[in-house]
Amino acid sequence: STLGASAAERGGRYFGAAVAAGKLGDSTYVNILNREFNSVTAENEMKWDATEPSRNSFTYTNANRIVNHAIGRGMKIRGHALLWHSQMPGWAQSLSGSTLRSAMNNHVTQVATYFRGKIHSWDVVNEAFADGTSGARRDSILQRTGNDWIEAAFRAARAADPGAKLCYNDYNTDGINAKSTAIYTMVRDFRSRGVPIDCVGFQSHLGTSLSGDYQANLQRFADLGVDVQITELDIAQGSGQANIYASVTRACLAVSRCTGITVWGIRDSDSWRVGANPLLFDASGNKKAAYTATLDAL
Ligand code: XIL
């Protein structure tokens, strides 16, 4: 079997990969993508700097390379990411206050409207919480427009594409800790006040160990009435890599609202974590032990 087919047999889940448009001409890469995965995330091509390089002028050429590849093969598409403090275009970085808020709302509306009907789940807001024990929002120019910027973004995204699941996505949320609890509290508040949020993404950029409460953390979010998704999984190479891939996969399967897993690249040589060899295929495209462990866990 394959990762995608096995995940589909497990309650209609998906197994996806982050894809770079510039690699769609690499036959080894594309053969693995088409064989193993039934969902894609654009690794960079839907980010703010890529889609709106100058104010209110939108460009979707590279995003569409990925979208068209996916649609032609019946793959789901995760939209990533409408708003993030990183990879913002220079023009937006120079704004503040109500001007930035207007530009932000326009960006969300325009991009979500453009892709309406094609996106399974949108990462509406990415990485808005601080690391460490504060439980605070991350300081950013978006945050400085007012604490309600996140809910404003979710409302704009819902209006633009009512059919897409709207997710909040973050990292270092792999167990029950101050950061994940702050996000949990925000999601609970959004649900109680009717702010449209449907899912929480757990990036899961992991080292050589896994929090013992990884599954319990997914479950507490699911219990709020949102889906959970593993959105950017990669795990540092080490003696435990295969086992941790299997544990993450089993954790998702054990949570009925965990609807899919995405790995952040295909081959180790495609990874943003240079030298970590954190993916399921080696640089030549061969299946690693981590691949077999993942497939066996599905
Ligand atoms: C990374 C990409 O993989 C790199 O190519 C790019 O240079 C930087 O961004 N969290 C996220 C992703 O949400 O968008 C990031 O992707 C990895 C961390």
Side-chain angles (χ1 to χ4, degrees):
S1 190
T2 65
L3 300 168
S6 296
E9 286 169 12
R10 298 296 231 119
R13 290 178 172 85
Y14 64 84
F15 206 105
V19 168
K23 291 178 181 166
L24 290 173
D26 175 333
S27 60
T28 304
Y29 181 87
V30 171
N31 287 340
I32 300 170
L33 171 63
N34 292 351
R35 186 185 74 222
E36 297 288 343
F37 297 99
N38 56 8
S39 174
V40 299
T41 306
E43 188 174 0
N44 291 296
E45 293 80 350
M46 291 189 189
K47 292 172 182 174
W48 197 344
D49 60 354
T51 51
E52 195 182 1
S54 58
R55 191 169 180 182
N56 210 28
S57 170
F58 292 85
T59 169
Y60 298 110
T61 309
N62 287 326
N64 279 333
R65 290 198 172 106
I66 296 169
V67 167
N68 293 334
H69 186 97
I71 289 176
R73 290 161 185 81
M75 300 170 174
K76 290 182 161 67
I77 302 165
R78 294 196 81 263
H80 174 80
L82 291 171
L83 296 175
W84 186 25
H85 65 274
S86 185
Q87 293 180 275
M88 283 176 69
W91 66 266
Q93 291 181 45
S94 72
L95 302 180
S96 63
S98 60
T99 320
L100 176 58
R101 182 66 75 93
S102 302
M104 176 198 101
N105 282 328
N106 184 57
H107 181 75
V108 170
T109 298
Q110 295 297 323
V111 177
T113 299
Y114 179 83
F115 290 111
R116 178 165 52 209
K118 296 179 174 169
I119 304 298
H120 168 266
S121 304
W122 262 116
D123 292 331
V124 178
V125 170
N126 196 32
E127 302 184 355
F129 280 80
D131 290 317
T133 56
S134 71
R137 295 283 182 87
R138 174 194 296 274
D139 182 38
S140 72
I141 57 170
L142 290 165
Q143 180 63 30
R144 284 181 231 154
T145 68
N147 207 48
D148 63 339
W149 72 278
I150 298 181
E151 61 190 89
F154 276 84
R155 289 199 167 96
R158 179 69 98 225
D161 186 356
K165 299 229 182 210
L166 304 183
C167 307
Y168 176 81
N169 191 52
D170 216 325
Y171 69 96
N172 280 350
T173 52
D174 314 304
I176 296 174
N177 58 39
K179 185 174 180 181
S180 64
T181 297
I183 296 164
Y184 175 87
T185 303
M186 178 188 75
V187 173
R188 189 177 56 189
D189 171 57
F190 280 13
R191 300 290 296 174
S192 75
R193 290 191 295 113
V195 178
I197 185 167
D198 308 302
C199 39
V200 176
F202 297 82
Q203 293 185 10
S204 306
H205 296 294
L206 301 175
T208 53
S209 66
L210 180 68
S211 296
D213 52 5
Y214 186 84
Q215 181 183 320
N217 189 47
L218 298 179
Q219 186 66 58
R220 71 171 174 154
F221 280 86
D223 290 342
L224 292 175
V226 292
D227 288 347
V228 296
Q229 305 178 4
I230 314 304
T231 52
E232 305 184 14
L233 181 61
D234 53 20
I235 304 171
Q237 182 84 66
S239 54
Q241 185 182 51
N243 283 334
I244 299 172
Y245 265 105
S247 296
V248 169
T249 302
R250 282 193 297 262
C252 181
L253 294 177
V255 175
S256 60
R257 293 200 76 136
C258 183
T259 58
I261 299 173
T262 298
V263 286
W264 204 244
I266 294 180
R267 301 161 299 194
D268 285 336
S269 50
D270 301 316
S271 174
W272 70 304
R273 293 173 68 182
V274 176
N277 294 325
L279 294 172
L280 300 176
F281 297 86
D282 70 17
S284 304
N286 300 308
K287 296 169 178 173
K288 295 167 58 180
Y291 170 92
T292 307
T294 303
L295 186 63
D296 286 352
L298 281 167

